[in-house]
């Protein structure tokens, strides 16, 4: 699932109204409410501090607030962006400084939606996957085949040890583990040994592996 690895900010101006979106990762409703309260304190002089958050693998908790804007013009559109982007465990506050010109219902919906999109662009979003950290031992004849099989599947070697034998580590999505092990065993004519298969959640940040 997609989560916010590192929160961020985004900003836009519509008809002189300034919209500042702040996005953070959250793990509980209490954490989300604490963040919203902190944003209201930080931007105490703003016209509105509208909010939305989603928590849970299946979006079990969804909340949003218009914070004084016309009903349905801020919080719900903000929430819809998070859901539409399939973001989990995240909260966003969009702070508005009124610029003197009314935007109308449609204008508000567009502005708050765009602000959240800008906030997400300013954040680091990663795809969290369930799988295994697989350690494979083989001889020097087998390593080339293993590298080829991993590359074929878009898997990367995250660690290696070269002595009289070779040990490599790779992160494998859960749905690929069985098939990969069979392919490695067949491809090396049984010369590969699986030393460990540790269940992990992982992601890649700028191409670098990250165990969560």
């Amino acid at each position: 699932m997609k989560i916010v690895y590192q929160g961020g900010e985004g900003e836009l101006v519509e008809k002189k109204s300034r919209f500042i979106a702040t996005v953070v990762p959250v793990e509980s409703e209490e954490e989300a409410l604490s963040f919203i309260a902190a944003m209201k304190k930080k931007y105490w002089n703003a016209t509105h501090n509208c909010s939305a958050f989603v928590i849970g693998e299946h979006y079990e908790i969804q909340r949003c607030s218009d914070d004084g804007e016309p009903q349905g013009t801020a919080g719900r559109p903000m929430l819809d962006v998070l859901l539409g982007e399939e973001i989990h465990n995240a909260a966003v506050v969009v702070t508005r400084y009124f610029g003197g010109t009314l935007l109308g219902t449609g204008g508000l919906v567009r502005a708050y939606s765009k602000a959240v999109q800008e906030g997400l662009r300013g954040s680091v979003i990663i795809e969290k996957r369930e799988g295994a950290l697989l350690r494979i031992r083989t001889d020097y004849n087998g390593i080339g085949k293993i590298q080829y099989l991993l590359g074929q599947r878009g898997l990367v070697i995250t660690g290696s040890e070269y002595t009289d034998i070779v040990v490599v580590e790779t992160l494998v999505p859960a749905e690929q583990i069985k098939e990969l092990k069979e392919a490695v065993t067949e491809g090396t004519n049984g010369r590969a040994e699986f030393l460990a298969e540790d269940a992990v959640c992982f992601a890649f940040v700028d191409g670098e592996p990250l165990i969560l």
Side-chain angles (χ1 to χ4, degrees), residues 12 15 17 43 60 62 93 106-107 115-116 126 138 148 155 170 190:
L12 65 92
K15 295 184 179 178
S17 276
Y43 296 109
E60 289 86 352
Q62 304 178 22
V93 169
V116 176
I126 61 175
T138 188
Y148 171 75
L155 305 175
T170 184

Side-chain angles (χ1 to χ4, degrees), residues 68-200:
E69 291 282 28
Q71 186 176 357
T73 61
R76 184 68 223 187
M78 291 166 60
L79 182 63
D80 286 343
V81 172
L82 295 178
L83 295 172
E85 295 290 336
E86 299 182 341
I87 304 290
H88 298 254
N89 297 348
V92 58
V93 169
V94 174
T95 301
R96 181 189 183 190
Y97 287 93
F98 182 56
T101 302
L102 296 174
L103 299 184
T105 301
L108 286 172
V109 169
R110 286 190 295 275
Y112 278 100
S113 299
K114 283 168 63 179
V116 176
Q117 290 165 352
E118 290 297 324
L120 292 175
R121 269 193 281 273
S123 307
V124 179
I125 309 296
I126 61 175
E127 187 171 352
K128 179 180 176 182
R129 309 189 70 173
E130 291 184 351
L133 180 64
L134 208 60
R135 283 175 59 85
I136 310 167
R137 179 166 63 195
T138 188
D139 56 25
Y140 280 83
N141 292 323
I143 186 58
K145 187 64 176 180
I146 290 173
Q147 289 171 329
Y148 171 75
L149 291 170
L150 295 179
Q152 248 190 344
R153 291 158 178 77
L155 305 175
V156 298
I157 292 175
T158 56
S160 58
E161 301 167 18
Y162 287 81
T163 54
D164 55 325
I165 49 100
V166 184
V167 177
V168 294
E169 287 184 349
T170 184
L171 290 165
V172 188
E175 66 274 12
Q176 289 182 252
I177 295 171
K178 182 175 182 292
E179 186 274 332
L180 176 68
K181 290 173 74 173
E182 290 172 351
V184 167
T185 299
E186 182 181 341
T188 61
N189 295 317
R191 293 194 305 273
E193 180 185 356
F194 300 96
L195 301 179
E197 185 181 319
D198 301 321
V200 294

